[in-house]
Amino acid sequence: MTPVSTIFEPAVPHAAAGRRRYDAAARWAARLFIYGIPTALILVPMIAFLISSFWRIDGATVDRSFTLENYRTFLSDATYWGIYLGTLRLAGVVALFGLVAGYIVAYLIWRLEGSFRYFMLLCSVIPLAMNYIVKIYAMRNILGFNGILNTMLVWAHILPAPSTLFVFNQTAVLITMTVIYLPFAILPIFLSLERIPASLVEASADLGGPPGYTFRHVVLPLSLPGSIVGGLFVMVLALGDFLTPQMVGGSQGFTFGRAIWSQFGMAFDWPFGAALAVMLLLAIIAILAVAGLLSRYGRLS
Amino acid sequence: MTRAERITIAILWLFAGLVFLLLYGPAVLVVVLSFFDIRRGAVVWNSFSFEHYAALAHNASILSALGNTLLVAGGSVSVAMVLALAIAYYMRTGQRRGRAYIEFVIFLPFVLPAIITGISLLITFRELGVERSLFTVAIGHIVIVISIIYRLVMVRLEALQTSQLEASADLGARGFTTFRLVVLPQLSSAMVTGALLALTISLDETLVTFFLAGGDPTLPLRLWAMMRVGFSPEINALVSIVLLITTIAASIGALLLRRSIPARKA
């Protein structure tokens, strides 16, 4: 049963029996540590979360007997379904924007040469390190009623007066999420372009394919599956976000993430919140399954 | 290149420029506004000064939030480093049956949205009767950053020749000696990069922290609370400092990362 190991085995074969017993104990301690800590810190909480979605709130206490009531409440309430599907669509649109804009930026960087290429790549990744709350805050500054966008549109005579079009609604959430999550799309798209063997692009050029033709028939088909995976990654991030809609969405920008979060805050119905989060998890597992299929297909073709 | 292609590329670059404007515009705006007063929602353009930065030094709640953030980041990144190193080294030395399982578990919080990680830990802490505090926040951050450090260390370990480990064992070195004298020196660049990345993530982490924080807020939570009240030049000043530090840290991290990736062939 002992795993084959060149390192954790005793180096001297004829060591004393006591020494060997000590080694066996040390190996078991190492195993317990290596497998135990990630299990305790990550897997056990995940399971606890899944189990708690089958509990029920009874007054101020939690009733820990198995019930499907939380799921029944969700499935029978059209409001929750509406928010659920609406959030899926919102995250899908954010992902689509990320995919299109990210592809254009990543493609242009991919075509560059030398250190300028690396510099531009760095520029597209640095916004990831900028504080998340700060970005939301700045976007509120820009999109607000007295914000930069409105001021500029009025100044340019596109709008007669400041508009409430970009503040405290789904549009504001969409714009802000796109700006925040776009860098997460650029990097995976760039990497999927980078995986295309240079010889294929050269071969296409040698055979007389003009750049546009090479792009349509070689680069795009080879990079698209990986790029879509990048887009789906953005979708997962957008689905789980609850602070962006809270900060720029107002009452019209209610998303499923906010619905979950409010169960842990004001409503204080943790089991129901957990059940809602399980519904979110199901959507995410479906998205990840699609991503997995796409990346396998991308590697085969 | 034909003319049509040249025009297409030019239009694409124009679009990319717009995207970069969108990515950097918000941050630049905050930095610019941090030097001016804001009265009744309008910027007073002739009030350029550094006084909002000076005011920060006397804001006790911000300073304590900053202290909390640094404490959590330092503690959680150190623990995550040790854990990730130990797990990666264990998995690398020998045919470990549980490797797929451990990598699945470690990468869960990386793949799933933060809200699910946050809820999971929150529910577990309550079932265990653990009060929310900086300790629970630190556990959350360990869970989040461990996968990144593990990945970077593992990539470096896989590139390591197995013969080096075997030679060390042949010369009579036991596990820990080999690790200390042969492996660790070669891991330093991966560890520094991993630590910098993990620090950046921990300093910025908000979505999980939200669920796990007790009475002591970290800087992002404090920022969030301040912004709900309204905009103030002081927030802009604070935010500018945070932006400056994270940008520098990220740039250093990226440059280090570049050195560990082989250069692209021409």
Side-chain angles (χ1 to χ4, degrees):
Chain A
M1 283 307 278
T2 319
V4 186
S5 163
T6 51
I7 301 307
F8 286 85
E9 299 299 326
V12 189
H14 45 76
R19 173 94 212 184
R20 220 173 286 153
R21 212 176 305 135
Y22 167 78
D23 283 333
R27 268 202 299 275
W28 273 107
R31 227 170 277 164
L32 198 68
F33 177 81
I34 297 295
Y35 293 106
I37 292 195
T39 307
L41 286 184
I42 301 169
L43 200 66
V44 170
M46 290 282 175
I47 292 168
F49 144 66
L50 290 178
I51 292 175
S52 78
S53 73
F54 297 106
W55 293 342
R56 209 168 62 80
I57 200 91
D58 186 13
T61 56
V62 179
D63 175 8
R64 288 184 177 73
S65 50
F66 180 89
T67 171
L68 285 171
E69 202 180 287
N70 294 322
Y71 291 97
R72 209 172 297 137
T73 310
F74 171 78
L75 292 173
S76 62
D77 193 332
T79 332
Y80 281 112
W81 270 109
I83 298 170
Y84 187 65
L85 297 176
T87 306
L88 275 172
R89 203 190 54 204
L90 176 77
V93 176
V94 170
L96 192 69
F97 281 177
L99 180 62
V100 173
Y103 197 94
I104 292 174
V105 172
Y107 175 74
L108 289 169
I109 295 175
W110 178 64
R111 286 168 43 104
L112 293 172
E113 300 278 330
S115 56
F116 187 56
R117 182 178 204 249
Y118 190 76
F119 174 75
M120 289 305 287
L121 189 63
L122 188 62
C123 283
S124 66
V125 179
I126 278 183
L128 288 182
M130 291 179 184
N131 188 281
Y132 162 81
I133 292 282
V134 168
K135 275 185 280 194
I136 303 178
Y137 165 69
M139 286 307 289
R140 222 164 75 156
N141 245 333
I142 291 174
L143 298 173
F145 188 72
N146 291 316
I148 308 283
L149 188 62
N150 262 326
T151 313
M152 266 170 35
L153 288 177
V154 170
W155 178 77
H157 296 288
I158 295 172
L159 287 179
S163 150
T164 52
L165 219 59
F166 319 106
V167 70
F168 297 136
N169 57 27
Q170 291 275 346
T171 317
V173 180
L174 179 69
I175 296 173
T176 310
M177 279 189 174
T178 305
V179 171
I180 290 179
Y181 293 122
L182 184 61
F184 286 99
I186 296 178
L187 201 57
I189 296 173
F190 178 83
L191 292 176
S192 76
L193 282 165
E194 190 77 339
R195 267 199 297 271
I196 300 174
S199 57
L200 287 182
V201 180
E202 281 158 21
S204 170
D206 286 347
L207 292 169
Y213 185 89
T214 304
F215 174 76
R216 270 197 311 280
H217 294 275
V218 179
V219 175
L220 190 64
L222 283 175
S223 63
L224 204 55
S227 302
I228 294 173
V229 171
L232 291 174
F233 189 57
V234 168
M235 189 170 172
V236 170
L237 288 168
L239 270 180
D241 196 349
F242 57 94
L243 284 177
T244 307
Q246 172 79 25
M247 290 285 285
V248 299
S251 57
Q252 283 178 50
F254 203 78
T255 62
F256 203 63
R258 278 176 79 180
I260 296 172
W261 186 46
S262 68
Q263 298 305 320
F264 287 84
M266 283 170 291
F268 215 75
D269 190 347
W270 289 19
F272 186 56
L276 292 182
V278 170
M279 296 310 297
L280 185 74
L281 187 63
L282 290 179
I284 284 156
I285 290 172
I287 293 170
L288 292 178
V290 173
L293 281 176
L294 271 173
S295 67
R296 192 183 312 158
Y297 164 79
R299 231 168 279 144
L300 287 179
S301 60
Chain B
M1 250 198 275
T2 64
R3 212 176 124 185
E5 279 151 17
R6 230 172 284 228
I7 292 171
T8 315
I9 293 294
I11 291 171
L12 287 181
W13 268 114
L14 213 66
F15 178 83
L18 211 69
V19 170
F20 278 106
L21 193 73
L22 261 173
L23 290 180
Y24 283 90
V28 172
L29 178 77
V30 171
V31 176
V32 169
L33 289 181
S34 72
F35 296 106
F36 298 95
D37 285 335
I38 298 173
R39 275 188 215 115
R40 279 190 230 100
V43 184
V44 186
W45 288 111
N46 55 8
S47 61
F48 180 89
S49 77
F50 287 93
E51 64 178 279
H52 307 301
Y53 288 88
L56 281 180
H58 304 290
N59 192 324
S61 76
I62 287 179
L63 290 180
S64 86
L66 182 66
N68 292 340
T69 297
L70 293 177
L71 192 68
V72 167
S76 58
V77 171
S78 314
V79 175
M81 283 285 263
V82 173
L83 269 174
L85 258 178
I87 296 171
Y89 184 61
Y90 184 84
M91 292 304 162
R92 178 71 178 83
T93 53
Q95 261 77 53
R96 308 298 183 189
R97 245 171 288 235
R99 182 166 170 179
Y101 161 78
I102 280 296
E103 292 191 346
F104 170 76
V105 170
I106 285 182
F107 285 112
L108 268 182
F110 183 74
V111 182
L112 298 179
I115 190 169
I116 292 191
T117 310
I119 291 173
S120 301
L121 286 168
L122 176 62
I123 288 170
T124 307
F125 283 130
R126 189 182 63 171
E127 291 304 309
L128 293 173
V130 179
E131 284 289 313
R132 281 184 266 186
S133 65
L134 287 182
F135 171 75
T136 54
V137 173
I139 298 279
H141 287 204
I142 292 171
V143 164
I144 300 242
V145 300
I146 193 168
S147 62
I148 286 131
I149 306 176
Y150 175 85
R151 190 82 209 111
L152 283 168
V153 168
M154 201 45 158
V155 167
R156 192 74 199 84
L157 277 178
E158 307 246 79
L160 214 67
Q161 300 287 322
T162 314
S163 59
Q164 289 187 12
L165 303 180
E166 285 162 359
S168 173
D170 286 346
L171 291 169
R174 292 170 50 78
F176 190 68
T177 316
T178 304
F179 177 73
R180 195 164 51 90
L181 297 176
V182 179
V183 180
L184 205 55
Q186 306 193 48
L187 282 181
S188 57
S189 80
M191 279 165 61
V192 173
T193 315
L196 264 175
L197 264 174
L199 271 175
T200 323
I201 292 168
S202 171
L203 293 177
D204 193 26
E205 165 50 45
T206 320
L207 291 170
V208 170
T209 312
F210 233 101
F211 284 100
L212 302 175
D216 308 311
T218 62
L219 201 57
L221 298 196
R222 187 82 202 95
L223 275 174
W224 186 79
M226 286 167 79
M227 279 168 204
R228 276 172 32 119
V229 183
F231 304 102
S232 88
E234 207 168 295
I235 302 180
N236 287 331
L238 176 64
V239 160
S240 303
I241 296 175
V242 173
L243 279 175
L244 184 73
I245 293 171
T246 48
T247 307
I248 292 173
S251 306
I252 295 174
L255 289 173
L256 287 173
L257 196 63
R258 191 196 185 181
R259 226 184 289 161
S260 58
I261 310 172
R264 179 185 179 232
K265 64 259 165 260

